Amino acid sequence: MKKKALVLASGALLLFSAAFGQAKLVEKVTKTGSQMVIPYEKYLLPNGLTVIVHEDHSDPVVHVDVTYHVGSAREEIGKSGFAHFFEHMMFQGSDNVADEQHFKIVTESGGTLNGTTNRDRTNYFETVPANQLEKMLWLEADRMGFLLDAVTQKKFEVQRATVKNERGQNYDNRPYGLAFEKISTALYPYGHPYSWLTIGYVEDLDRVNAADLKNFFLRWYGPNNATVTIGGDVKPADAVKLVEKYFGAIPRGPEVKPVTVAPVQLDKTRYTSYVDNYARLPLLFVNYPTVANYHPDMAPLACLAQVLGQGRNSVLYQQLTKKQLALQAGGSSQLSELAGEMSFQIVPYPGKTLADMEKLFRASLDTFEARGVTDEDIAKFKGGIESQLVNGLQSVSGKVSQLAAFETFTGNPNRIAEMLKAYTSVTKEDVMRVYNQYIKGKPAVVLSVLPKGQEKMIAAADNYTIDSAGYKAPDYGYAGLKYNKAKDNFDRKKMPGNGANPVVAVPAFWRKSLANGAKVIGTQNTEVPTVTFSLTIPGGHLAQAGDLKKAGLASLFADMMGEDTKNYTAEQLSVELQKLGSSISVSSNTDGIVYSVQSLKKNFPATMALLQERLFNPKFTEDAFNRIKKQTLEAFKQQKAQPAAVADAVFAKLNYGTDHILGISQDGTEETVNNITLVDIQNYYNNYMTSVDAKVVVVGDITEAEAVPQLAFLDKLPKKKIELAKVNPTPAVDKTKVYLVDVPKAAQSEFRVGYATGLKYDATGDYYKSNLMNFPLGGGFNSRLNLNLREDKGWTYGARAGFSGDEHSGDFEFSSGIKAGATDSALAEVMKEIRNYVANGPSNEEVAFMKSAIGQADARNYETGFQKAAFISRILSYNLPANFVEQQNKILQSMTPAQLKALAQKQLKPEKMNILLVGDKTKIIEGVKKLGYEVVELDADGKKLEGKTF
């Protein structure tokens, strides 16, 4: 019998009766008035599974999130990395889902998917067309209740290798990649759940076996430790019935109690250090222990981090970066479920020690104390928070993720208004209080990251070693675990079919050509009260095609356009924007300078006034120019220590040549940037500001009638035609060679294989068709290249290939980071896959999969403001017909294996490709030479080393 409902002030309805056969309706939250709320219904199944459903029919998509309250904080000493390892294993098939089919089923359904692990939770999620919901729930339930019998030793070994490659790519093979690992071991006591990183240690991964992993699953992956959140074009009653069907019979897991740890307390400042083989400049980290997430001090700590270390007005930027005492200086507050940290990072200019930087950092804190917290600090903090929370609600995935996180960590999904209130109630006194409580005079962990050969740059000698004495491991509850499977009254082996195809509406848009020569396109989207605006003025990188000695000028100009104006300092302009909850950024691309605006609707006119100030009144000062130029030059040096950055830069030179504008980075080089003067910046402004052929894109909660009057300022721009240089023809590759750049001790080899195709972007011609052709080869997780190198061999964290192009040129490129010891074998496999694909083309099954995956993806292509902006921007840039998507779908459905094979033979020339390997020469050269290719050694600038052809 249904009991009386209690209406809460929050707009929630608490009901205590079963709404369906198994699920109990716990509460229903609806939106009333203008309050910030994400409407939902929350249910509880008898097995402990929490279910949350958010109904939103604005787009024909659904987002499914399954969050398990298990992260690295549930791991034990000697077995780190399990939660993340299991994230990988959960994609490897279960009783009723074959190996490597999870990604394939979701992709074929027109969806996208992933999983993430952090200290405190693991989540798995899919965004798919609305008609695919039942299939997604079937998939998620199968790996929750029917996984372990499908976990084989072979799968275990392959995924262990993949995780090692991920660690190599994101930690071991990257400048400063091990910094947080070193900080964690020094900040947290031995055995504390946060004293190791989520990725874990390689030695722990080597130590464990499949039985250990299965026990971890049995302990933590039960339905009573999980939340299923569904959002989008769905009716709650339908969604809950499906959850009952597929999850309801899964047995409850062992009881899971909250992790409890004592607050971190340091008796003195701990100094620690390590030598980094990839860094070119030292780095100082200073970390203070603070509080856990959702603590009352969460909001004032976030404001303090902004005042001290975020943006142009921050104390560290003003005291160190702007004065050119440090190359970079910033800070942030990171709060997790069990503890939190306030972290500061400072990179010195060459020659300065980290001891110098620590003194400057502490002097900056003194400056902050004297300065205090201002009314403007509070106003801009509140404006930014409101904008951030509103923008987070643009997509159904954003809303679902927020609901899932609130439920997992607080038990209350209806927290967003409370969060907004907490942040917007922060006072100056609150911020100074938390500064005094957690930062002023308090001990911290001070980490020195030291490039090889710069060990004397240390802040202070190490004074801390890990103390494991007295540690007693808790009982994690692994004894007596048993694997119990659900008993069903239906055939779970039968994969659900598709529901009725959703109706996909391409965004309606309006176009207008202005008398001043600008072209405008816009679309209205009333889901959230925001406006996204962009203005592209012709110029950019191609403006230097006739003077390569000053390549990078457009990029430097864009940076300077973000500095002082005649009426505002850059800091004052930043304050005004943050008060409004708005942003204005200036960037350079191949053929234009782009002014990008993000604003709440109510503040759009005021934001556009600030855009005009930036556009018409720049003040190009010598101080700003010298600082930006100096930072740019140091960045080039840093990039030479990053194998992926080196690979990208050198590969462009191989494909286009050193005397081709597209062979040079849009940022330029050390040599070309050194040639640029402040006069060049002013000349660029004088020569390349125009309304003619300018492109304007307006998306959001704004009509054409509201938008057009806001564009009157374009009449103030010069009305002149900008003629950009034509791009030189793409140089041909005479034969396939291997080019090698040596990075000693690199854990991985960066691969780049391909050539400049000269194939320009088109929506319905060879470019579009070539990307369809590439899909089975390298265009998705289930592509031949990724399955071979990652899933079958375990040599990489990911491998991809594809065509890219614009109106000027195009490329084909395979890219991956491969573990060093497998470099020669992986190269042989890459070239074999390409040759086989050219010779035989795709299979009938691959073509059917491609058609289904790409054809159904339209349902999720136009959901957010950014997606709509990208769509209509493409129409404007390439003058596409309004029905070009319909034309593409007809082409897609008509493509045959024979046509795709012919395209492969036309566009892929394995005998005429550039192969670039960036890695440890001593580990890879002998194996690569045996493959029969001519091998040419280059330096990090792409220049051939004399006598270095093998």
Side-chain angles (χ1 to χ4, degrees):
M1 179 177 177
K2 186 174 288 186
K3 295 187 178 181
K4 186 177 180 180
L6 174 64
V7 182
L8 302 182
S10 66
L13 295 175
L14 256 68
L15 302 173
F16 300 97
S17 66
F20 303 104
Q22 301 175 44
K24 178 193 292 182
L25 176 59
V26 178
E27 65 177 344
K28 179 176 181 178
V29 171
T30 57
K31 183 173 182 177
T32 59
S34 61
Q35 68 178 164
M36 181 175 286
V37 67
I38 307 171
Y40 66 88
E41 295 181 15
K42 175 180 172 180
Y43 298 83
L44 186 66
L45 267 60
N47 60 8
L49 181 69
T50 300
V51 183
I52 300 170
V53 185
H54 163 66
E55 186 174 4
D56 176 3
H57 300 290
S58 57
D59 293 284
V61 297
V62 292
H63 184 82
V64 177
D65 177 289
V66 181
T67 295
Y68 295 89
H69 199 168
V70 55
S72 56
R74 301 282 189 184
E75 296 164 357
E76 55 189 306
I77 290 288
K79 294 182 180 179
S80 64
F82 262 28
H84 174 253
F85 195 167
F86 229 95
E87 178 202 316
H88 283 251
M89 293 303 300
M90 290 277 272
F91 289 99
Q92 299 310 304
S94 47
D95 280 2
N96 306 300
V97 180
D99 298 356
E100 300 171 353
Q101 290 299 296
H102 201 105
F103 272 91
K104 184 175 183 180
I105 290 169
V106 177
T107 305
E108 191 171 24
S109 299
T112 183
L113 73 161
N114 213 330
T116 67
T117 308
N118 64 25
R119 291 166 162 176
D120 306 309
R121 64 98 186 102
T122 304
N123 71 338
Y124 304 88
F125 48 90
E126 301 89 15
T127 305
V128 293
N131 64 324
Q132 302 290 337
L133 173 62
E134 184 174 2
K135 195 178 296 179
M136 298 307 106
L137 294 175
W138 171 77
L139 279 171
E140 288 292 356
D142 210 62
R143 58 182 174 185
M144 179 186 284
F146 301 87
L147 182 85
L148 291 190
D149 286 344
V151 176
T152 65
Q153 189 66 31
K154 180 181 178 182
K155 291 181 186 178
F156 176 85
E157 296 295 345
V158 168
Q159 292 309 310
R160 173 157 57 186
T162 300
V163 172
K164 288 183 183 180
N165 286 317
E166 181 178 356
R167 181 184 167 96
Q169 179 174 314
N170 294 337
Y171 298 86
D172 301 330
N173 206 34
R174 176 175 292 183
Y176 316 123
L178 297 176
F180 282 106
E181 183 171 272
K182 301 298 182 182
I183 287 170
S184 297
T185 59
L187 180 63
Y188 294 103
Y190 181 83
H192 189 288
Y194 291 172
S195 62
W196 56 84
L197 295 190
T198 303
I199 192 71
Y201 297 107
V202 169
E203 53 268 31
D204 286 355
L205 293 172
D206 284 337
R207 184 183 299 120
V208 300
N209 57 42
D212 294 319
L213 202 67
K214 289 181 179 182
N215 269 338
F216 190 81
F217 176 83
L218 290 173
R219 180 67 186 91
W220 305 113
Y221 284 78
N224 51 306
N225 197 36
T227 298
V228 174
T229 310
I230 302 164
D233 190 13
V234 61
K235 294 184 183 300
D238 297 338
V240 173
K241 286 178 182 177
L242 291 173
V243 173
E244 287 178 324
K245 176 179 179 179
Y246 291 108
F247 290 87
I250 298 174
R252 188 182 188 94
E255 182 183 3
V256 177
K257 296 180 180 179
V259 177
T260 57
V261 292
V264 174
Q265 294 184 340
L266 305 179
D267 56 352
K268 65 177 181 180
T269 291
R270 297 174 177 176
Y271 288 92
T272 186
S273 65
Y274 77 97
V275 176
D276 191 317
N277 289 321
Y278 297 98
R280 293 292 180 98
L281 291 173
L283 173 65
L284 183 76
F285 267 85
V286 183
N287 268 45
Y288 294 88
T290 58
V291 296
N293 210 2
Y294 302 106
H295 186 281
D297 288 342
M298 171 181 64
L301 282 168
C303 186
L304 175 63
Q306 184 178 93
V307 174
L308 289 177
Q310 296 169 10
R312 293 178 179 276
N313 294 284
S314 70
V315 173
L316 290 179
Y317 182 89
Q318 290 292 312
Q319 295 299 310
L320 303 183
T321 309
K322 189 167 185 179
K323 292 180 179 179
Q324 299 188 50
L325 298 174
L327 179 61
Q328 296 174 13
S332 61
S333 174
Q334 307 108 20
L335 308 186
S336 299
E337 185 179 19
L338 306 179
E341 306 156 25
M342 182 79 77
S343 173
F344 302 95
Q345 306 91 38
I346 303 172
V347 179
Y349 280 107
K352 297 291 184 181
T353 70
L354 297 184
D356 297 331
M357 294 300 103
E358 186 182 1
K359 290 176 183 177
L360 289 170
F361 167 71
R362 299 198 183 280
S364 296
L365 295 184
D366 294 338
T367 300
F368 166 70
E369 290 188 49
R371 166 196 184 276
V373 181
T374 68
D375 290 334
E376 281 194 336
D377 290 332
I378 299 298
K380 72 175 186 176
F381 175 71
K382 293 179 179 180
I385 285 295
E386 181 185 7
S387 177
Q388 179 182 324
L389 289 173
V390 169
N391 280 304
L393 304 181
Q394 286 196 49
S395 68
V396 67
S397 63
K399 288 178 278 193
V400 164
S401 298
Q402 193 71 81
L403 291 169
F406 284 150
E407 170 62 28
T408 300
F409 298 123
T410 74
N412 177 17
N414 189 29
R415 288 285 297 250
I416 193 163
E418 186 179 334
M419 290 276 287
L420 180 61
K421 181 179 179 181
Y423 280 110
T424 55
S425 299
V426 169
T427 66
K428 294 185 289 184
E429 292 74 21
D430 290 332
V431 179
M432 288 308 302
R433 175 181 57 78
V434 296
Y435 169 75
N436 289 320
Q437 185 172 346
Y438 302 109
I439 307 300
K440 182 179 180 180
K442 299 299 187 289
V445 171
V446 178
L447 170 69
S448 299
V449 183
L450 305 165
K452 190 173 181 60
Q454 299 183 41
E455 289 82 355
K456 292 181 180 180
M457 296 292 182
I458 196 169
D462 292 9
N463 69 350
Y464 173 75
T465 55
I466 299 172
D467 182 9
S468 60
Y471 172 73
K472 183 180 179 181
D475 180 4
Y476 289 92
Y478 288 111
L481 294 176
K482 294 182 180 179
Y483 183 29
N484 298 314
K485 295 186 184 182
K487 295 180 180 179
D488 296 310
N489 58 6
F490 67 96
D491 183 5
R492 197 178 284 266
K493 290 188 178 300
K494 184 178 180 181
M495 183 172 67
N498 303 333
N501 286 334
V503 177
V504 181
V506 173
F509 57 88
W510 52 270
R511 286 198 246 199
K512 194 173 186 68
S513 295
L514 303 182
N516 54 36
K519 295 179 175 63
V520 188
I521 193 166
T523 185
Q524 186 178 11
N525 176 27
T526 59
E527 286 183 54
V528 290
T530 62
V531 179
T532 299
F533 170 94
S534 71
L535 165 66
T536 303
I537 295 178
H541 193 45
L542 290 185
Q544 292 308 122
D547 184 10
L548 298 183
K549 293 180 180 178
K550 293 186 178 180
L553 173 58
S555 178
L556 207 57
F557 168 78
D559 290 338
M560 288 293 292
M561 287 296 286
E563 293 293 323
D564 296 351
T565 69
K566 293 172 182 175
N567 299 304
Y568 293 84
T569 65
E571 292 77 15
Q572 290 170 335
L573 203 58
S574 176
V575 167
E576 295 306 313
L577 285 167
Q578 286 184 289
K579 286 181 187 176
L580 297 170
S582 302
S583 66
I584 297 174
S585 62
V586 188
S587 60
S588 171
N589 61 27
T590 303
D591 54 12
I593 302 294
V594 184
Y595 301 81
S596 302
V597 175
Q598 184 73 35
S599 172
L600 297 173
K601 178 182 180 177
K602 64 183 179 181
N603 295 330
F604 187 59
T607 305
M608 293 299 282
L610 294 175
L611 172 64
Q612 292 176 57
E613 174 65 27
R614 192 166 286 303
L615 196 63
F616 295 115
N617 299 312
K619 185 179 180 181
F620 301 129
T621 66
E622 195 78 44
D623 282 348
F625 176 75
N626 290 338
R627 169 171 42 83
I628 292 173
K629 184 174 178 177
K630 190 175 181 181
Q631 290 171 334
T632 302
L633 292 171
E634 289 302 326
F636 288 139
K637 295 175 183 176
Q638 289 281 74
Q639 289 168 5
K640 289 181 180 178
Q642 301 174 35
V646 171
D648 289 339
V650 173
F651 196 58
K653 292 180 180 179
L654 290 176
N655 287 340
Y656 288 97
T658 56
D659 58 350
H660 194 291
I661 187 65
L662 299 182
I664 302 175
S665 165
Q666 293 188 23
D667 293 326
T669 67
E670 288 183 66
E671 182 181 356
T672 63
V673 169
N674 263 320
N675 294 334
I676 299 171
T677 67
L678 185 59
V679 172
D680 294 319
I681 301 294
Q682 184 64 58
N683 286 340
Y684 186 99
Y685 183 81
N686 296 340
N687 295 331
Y688 289 97
M689 295 301 289
T690 180
S691 61
V692 176
D693 294 329
K695 293 177 287 190
V696 175
V697 178
V698 188
V699 173
D701 190 7
I702 188 169
T703 65
E704 179 181 359
E706 292 172 319
V708 172
Q710 295 291 334
L711 307 180
F713 71 91
L714 295 174
D715 290 335
K716 301 176 187 177
L717 287 168
K719 191 177 178 181
K720 58 185 178 183
K721 180 76 171 177
I722 301 296
E723 295 289 352
L724 296 177
K726 296 293 184 182
V727 174
N728 292 333
T730 304
V733 179
D734 58 348
K735 71 171 184 176
T736 297
K737 298 178 185 177
V738 173
Y739 298 88
L740 172 64
V741 178
D742 184 23
V743 178
K745 297 186 178 180
Q748 292 184 307
S749 299
E750 282 291 333
F751 276 50
R752 301 292 184 271
V753 180
Y755 71 112
T757 62
L759 192 61
K760 301 176 183 179
Y761 173 88
D762 63 59
T764 55
D766 272 1
Y767 176 82
Y768 172 71
K769 294 173 184 176
S770 293
N771 272 295
L772 298 181
M773 173 270 290
N774 171 72
F775 192 83
L777 175 64
F781 186 90
N782 286 80
S783 69
R784 294 185 183 187
L785 288 165
N786 190 63
L787 288 183
N788 184 337
L789 300 176
R790 171 178 161 143
E791 296 301 291
D792 295 345
K793 306 295 196 309
W795 290 338
T796 179
Y797 181 47
R800 65 209 60 83
F803 291 85
S804 60
D806 55 25
E807 60 187 291
H808 309 291
S809 188
D811 304 90
F812 171 78
E813 179 182 307
F814 164 83
S815 63
S816 185
I818 304 286
K819 71 175 183 178
T823 301
D824 53 342
S825 300
L827 179 55
E829 290 296 316
V830 170
M831 300 310 292
K832 181 185 77 174
E833 291 287 5
I834 295 174
R835 284 193 295 267
N836 286 347
Y837 195 72
V838 170
N840 303 307
S843 67
N844 291 332
E845 181 185 5
E846 286 175 322
V847 175
F849 173 73
M850 179 267 293
K851 289 181 178 182
S852 180
I854 295 176
Q856 295 189 85
D858 278 347
R860 57 182 176 83
N861 281 347
Y862 318 116
E863 185 186 8
T864 68
F866 292 109
Q867 288 175 307
K868 288 180 171 70
F871 171 75
I872 63 173
S873 178
R874 194 176 304 117
I875 290 174
L876 183 65
S877 296
Y878 295 100
N879 194 29
L880 301 178
N883 68 339
F884 85 91
V885 172
E886 182 182 334
Q887 294 179 30
Q888 286 182 334
N889 286 329
K890 288 180 179 178
I891 293 169
L892 170 67
Q893 296 307 323
S894 69
M895 295 300 289
T896 66
Q899 289 174 314
L900 295 173
K901 176 182 175 182
L903 271 170
Q905 293 175 341
K906 178 180 179 181
Q907 302 295 352
L908 300 177
K909 304 290 184 184
E911 72 283 1
K912 292 185 178 182
M913 288 187 176
N914 294 317
I915 299 173
L916 174 63
L917 305 175
V918 180
D920 188 339
K921 174 184 171 182
T922 61
K923 294 179 183 177
I924 66 179
I925 185 64
E926 293 305 320
V928 171
K929 285 195 296 185
K930 292 176 182 177
L931 297 178
Y933 297 107
E934 178 182 343
V935 181
V936 181
E937 189 172 354
L938 309 173
D939 65 15
D941 291 316
K943 297 177 181 176
K944 182 179 177 181
L945 297 177
E946 291 301 321
K948 294 295 183 177
T949 298
F950 301 93

